Amino acid sequence: MDWANVINNPYLKDLPFKIELNKWGKILMSPASNHHGILQSEAVFYLRNQLPAGRVIVECSINTADGVKVADVAWASHEFMQANGETTPYQQAPEICIEIVSPSNTQAEMDEKIQLYLERGAVEVWICQSDGVVRHFSREGQLTQSDLTKESVHLM
């Protein structure tokens, strides 16, 4: 299955959880709690206020080496948007990709997503824990704060 089949499939349109594809085209599903949605909306609000010269994207699909992954929230510069528009999925990752950790996520899964987004061109990947504490990563490794917002982010 490819991403166009997923987004056009009437049976998959109204599911209450995130869908991703692995590199073999198999569907991966992650249920999202209301707490997850609250953290997601806090990330959107934060990015809109701190980085107004760009676009915030919720459920941003990115084609990675391990299939299509969907960042919970992403921030894309105007330059990124001019180059990539609303292509679905993006072949390149926006500058910031944020994953909100769910109880079903493992550390290995989060580590892999960090690498996949960075390999596709993300400048930073943010991992938001259930308490709202955000860990920031770049190609150099974990950061003490975001280089793009110049802050250590806490979403709660």
Side-chain angles (χ1 to χ4, degrees):
M1 183 171 264
D2 68 15
W3 197 245
N5 294 119
V6 171
I7 61 174
N8 293 317
N9 187 314
Y11 297 109
L12 302 176
K13 284 188 184 279
D14 296 318
L15 296 175
F17 37 80
K18 181 165 74 172
I19 295 175
E20 296 178 327
L21 291 179
N22 68 14
K23 60 186 167 193
W24 298 285
K26 292 185 180 179
I27 294 175
L28 307 171
M29 295 184 275
S30 300
S33 67
N34 288 335
H35 183 71
H36 186 277
I38 290 168
L39 289 170
Q40 199 170 13
S41 67
E42 291 295 324
V44 169
F45 183 76
Y46 177 83
L47 288 171
R48 291 287 292 152
N49 284 319
Q50 296 299 314
L51 298 169
R55 301 292 299 218
V56 179
I57 307 163
V58 177
E59 303 296 330
C60 181
S61 60
I62 304 160
N63 193 21
T64 73
D66 189 39
V68 177
K69 302 301 177 199
V70 180
D72 291 310
V73 179
W75 180 84
S77 67
H78 289 306
E79 295 80 16
F80 178 92
M81 294 305 296
Q82 286 177 341
N84 296 283
E86 294 180 3
T87 304
T88 304
Y90 286 125
Q91 298 304 305
Q92 175 184 352
E95 286 88 344
I96 298 175
C97 295
I98 302 174
E99 284 292 333
I100 299 178
V101 178
S102 298
S104 62
N105 294 133
T106 65
Q107 185 61 51
E109 181 182 5
M110 291 296 100
D111 291 343
E112 182 177 38
K113 283 189 171 188
I114 292 166
Q115 282 308 118
L116 290 168
Y117 294 147
L118 291 172
E119 287 171 1
R120 281 293 192 238
V123 175
E124 292 182 5
V125 178
W126 298 3
I127 303 297
C128 179
Q129 304 298 322
S130 64
D131 60 1
V133 172
V134 176
R135 295 182 300 133
H136 310 85
F137 297 87
S138 73
R139 287 177 192 84
E140 287 75 41
Q142 188 164 352
L143 306 169
T144 56
Q145 66 178 21
S146 167
D147 287 339
L148 296 172
T149 65
K150 306 298 185 210
E151 294 182 341
S152 181
V153 180
H154 192 277
L155 297 175
M156 291 292 283

